[in-house]
Amino acid sequence: MSAAPSLKPMPSRVPELDGFRACAVLMVLVHHLFYGWKTPALARLPHLIRIPIEQGWRGVDLFFVLSGFLITGILLDSKENEHYFRNFYSRRLLRIVPLYLTCIVVMYIGYPKSGRYFLLSLLYLANFAYLFRVGIPHGPGVFWSLAVEEHFYLVWPFAVRIFNRVWLLAIIIVIVVGSPILRGICTHAGMDPEQEIYSYSFFRLDALAMGGFLALWFRSRYYNRRSAWTIACVLIGVTLLITLLGRPYGIMSVKSVIGTALHYSQVAFVFSGLVGLALAHQGSIFTALLRTRAARITADLSYCIYLIHLTVGDFYYRILKALRFDDISRLGTGGSILLRIAVVATVTFGLALLSKRFLEDPFLRLKRYF
């Protein structure tokens, strides 16, 4: 596998990954702008437009792949550091906690009947709200995916520190193969595909593990464009094969046993293949769209956008209700959606800009001490 040309080492920041991060948050944002609140007649949208919007929730899986790649890479590169654990957890704390705690405080005021949910959120257990029989408020419901990542951050640094790369690869293979099996068994046993399988951490580790696989590959002697294409073709080919073979058994339904078992694997494989190709083609014309200024800005704001966008929409509708403004009767379905998109997207990006400058960046500057 050594015939392909050698590639430049990965810089401290890969613009292509910013592009993927922007794509991930925009997928989720667009999906919720259309389907986050009940709006009649969305089925009238052209099929080619409606289907990608409906699938926007899969942007969370792209976030997981990116997180798995970046975190595993950070850990591998600092594995021999004397302050390995201190530096990693301090830097994660500075990145995640200030904005997250601010959101919890502000949203608690806005959703005063959801105190138990916010208590779980403080403990990074929002994704187990169903297990604890705690109601999930609409806007802050996005905290579930942050909890999944935090559980990964708690365990994975120890695995990277303890095991060599061969053993790490073996662990990743077990996770990637075992996750769909576990999802299938538990769905067949009666667990709820939406309330439990979708959000419980131990069902959603395969996308993070696929990111970890990419990090190992990137730092190996096999990292080159030929192997990137091989990996991408294998992963996407397996996805297509699974889809074709599983179609007669209901794989296209996310609520079926086989669909619940394999949907997340399919998405993780495709996203991992695309990210691998982008890493192998850094700086090329093929990845130019991922390196735009707009993509970088959106990536910088993605954390805040993800956390607040549904809450912004909830308050938008509270204001309309207080003003006794029926947007659908006044503007029609199309007009109401356009107004919602314009207001919610503008306010979300505006608040994210303010958060980045006055809340997140001051704490991120402290990373230099770790």
Side-chain angles (χ1 to χ4, degrees):
M1 200 179 288
S2 59
S6 60
L7 301 175
K8 297 179 181 179
M10 183 175 178
S12 58
R13 181 163 184 167
V14 180
E16 284 80 2
L17 296 185
D18 286 337
F20 277 112
R21 191 178 294 107
C23 289
V25 76
L26 289 177
M27 287 173 66
V28 175
L29 178 63
V30 170
H31 173 75
H32 284 150
L33 285 174
F34 279 87
Y35 290 97
W37 302 269
K38 290 183 179 179
T39 304
L42 281 176
R44 297 178 186 174
L45 287 172
H47 184 75
L48 290 177
I49 296 176
R50 189 177 73 251
I51 296 303
I53 295 173
E54 289 176 349
Q55 300 301 314
W57 59 273
R58 299 180 186 274
V60 174
D61 294 276
L62 179 52
F63 272 128
F64 286 162
V65 172
L66 292 171
S67 292
F69 173 78
L70 293 168
I71 294 305
T72 304
I74 290 170
L75 294 170
L76 288 171
D77 293 343
S78 62
K79 183 172 181 176
E80 305 303 325
N81 192 301
E82 180 183 0
H83 302 294
Y84 170 83
F85 290 106
R86 187 202 69 177
N87 289 350
F88 174 77
Y89 286 115
S90 296
R91 291 171 68 88
R92 287 295 89 199
L93 183 147
L94 291 170
R95 179 69 187 99
I96 293 169
V97 172
L99 176 58
Y100 184 57
L101 287 181
T102 301
C103 287
I104 288 176
V105 171
V106 173
M107 292 179 188
Y108 173 74
I109 298 171
Y111 300 86
K113 297 180 180 180
S114 300
R116 293 177 64 200
Y117 177 80
F118 290 112
L119 179 59
L120 284 179
S121 299
L122 282 172
L123 301 173
Y124 292 101
L125 292 173
N127 60 324
F128 288 101
Y130 183 84
L131 177 66
F132 293 103
R133 300 295 184 264
V134 172
I136 303 174
H138 184 244
V142 297
F143 291 170
W144 76 269
S145 62
L146 187 62
V148 172
E149 293 200 13
E150 288 301 310
H151 299 158
F152 173 71
Y153 297 160
L154 285 175
V155 176
W156 198 236
F158 291 91
V160 175
R161 181 77 166 190
I162 294 170
F163 297 107
N164 62 31
R165 298 190 183 195
V166 174
W167 275 105
L168 281 177
L169 180 59
I171 293 170
I172 286 170
I173 292 172
V174 169
I175 293 173
V176 171
V177 174
S179 292
I181 295 174
L182 181 63
R183 288 192 293 262
I185 291 173
C186 291
T187 303
H188 185 266
M191 293 186 72
D192 191 303
E194 293 182 345
Q195 300 292 336
E196 298 177 289
I197 306 296
Y198 180 72
S199 59
Y200 289 178
S201 300
F202 37 79
F203 293 124
R204 301 305 306 274
L205 295 177
D206 42 345
L208 289 156
M210 285 302 302
F213 163 75
L214 291 177
L216 287 172
W217 162 74
F218 181 80
R219 287 159 178 81
S220 75
R221 60 190 176 92
Y222 300 108
Y223 167 62
N224 53 55
R225 288 176 180 168
R226 178 178 295 179
S227 67
W229 279 100
T230 300
I231 290 170
C233 289
V234 169
L235 291 175
I236 295 174
V238 168
T239 301
L240 291 174
L241 182 63
I242 290 172
T243 303
L244 291 174
L245 294 178
R247 195 177 183 90
Y249 302 97
I251 196 172
M252 303 307 293
S253 171
V254 294
K255 295 184 179 181
S256 67
V257 172
I258 188 172
T260 302
L262 293 173
H263 263 310
Y264 307 113
S265 300
Q266 293 171 291
V267 176
F269 286 174
V270 172
F271 285 149
S272 298
L274 295 177
V275 170
L277 288 175
L279 289 170
H281 289 275
Q282 293 176 52
S284 73
I285 190 173
F286 303 108
T287 58
L289 288 176
L290 297 171
R291 301 193 304 273
T292 60
R293 179 173 173 78
R296 175 158 186 168
I297 292 173
T298 303
D300 285 340
L301 305 179
S302 61
Y303 179 39
C304 185
I305 290 171
Y306 180 76
L307 288 183
I308 71 172
H309 71 280
L310 273 180
T311 297
V312 170
D314 286 351
F315 277 85
Y316 164 73
Y317 275 106
R318 289 189 192 184
I319 292 171
L320 291 188
K321 184 177 181 181
L323 296 174
R324 297 181 180 178
F325 183 86
D326 189 331
D327 56 336
I328 295 178
S329 63
R330 297 280 190 92
L331 305 173
T333 300
S336 67
I337 293 175
L338 289 176
L339 180 62
R340 179 167 78 203
I341 291 172
V343 173
V344 174
T346 301
V347 173
T348 297
F349 271 84
L351 291 175
L353 281 167
L354 292 173
S355 170
K356 186 76 170 65
R357 180 172 181 181
F358 298 108
L359 176 61
E360 297 169 68
D361 281 350
F363 281 97
L364 290 176
R365 284 193 286 269
L366 298 176
K367 277 187 172 184
R368 66 182 182 271
Y369 297 113
F370 302 98

